Amino acid sequence: MKSENTPFTGGPLDGRVLPVLLGPTGHPPKWYEVPVPGTGGRPATVHTYRRAPAGYSKRLGLQRGWVYEYASEGRERRRLKWPWTKPERGV
């Protein structure tokens, strides 16, 4: 499998560049989770990072790779939206 050196911004991995495995499309995963075991009876925590574009070239506007940004709120859970389901009523 191929990997790509990807920089991390924010959180405990700020400034580090780690090799991340690429998927079948050639892109790294949308979310990167770093499990941290708990010590001294404390519960384990999971730090999450969201994939974002690293930047764009000036002339053609092509994307220059990926960077992972720290998501302090955690991973967002999304529900599948099927075309045959009714829209949700106002909550």
Side-chain angles (χ1 to χ4, degrees):
M1 301 230 10
K2 292 177 70 175
S3 65
E4 178 180 294
N5 290 335
T6 309
F8 287 78
T9 59
L13 295 179
D14 189 24
R16 293 189 185 181
V17 178
L18 299 175
V20 177
L21 291 176
L22 303 179
T25 60
H27 298 292
K30 290 183 181 180
W31 293 91
Y32 191 85
E33 296 179 344
V34 180
V36 178
T39 58
R42 294 176 28 194
T45 59
V46 176
H47 297 289
T48 56
Y49 288 86
R50 182 184 307 117
R51 182 184 71 184
Y56 298 94
S57 64
K58 290 183 180 180
R59 181 173 275 183
L60 297 176
L62 300 175
Q63 187 175 332
R64 294 188 173 192
W66 300 101
V67 64
Y68 279 108
E69 297 175 346
Y70 184 65
S72 60
E73 67 277 0
R75 186 173 183 170
E76 61 187 33
R77 300 291 179 195
R78 296 174 42 176
R79 290 184 31 181
L80 292 175
K81 296 181 182 177
W82 301 102
W84 55 83
T85 57
K86 294 180 182 178
E88 292 185 24
R89 297 184 181 211
V91 176

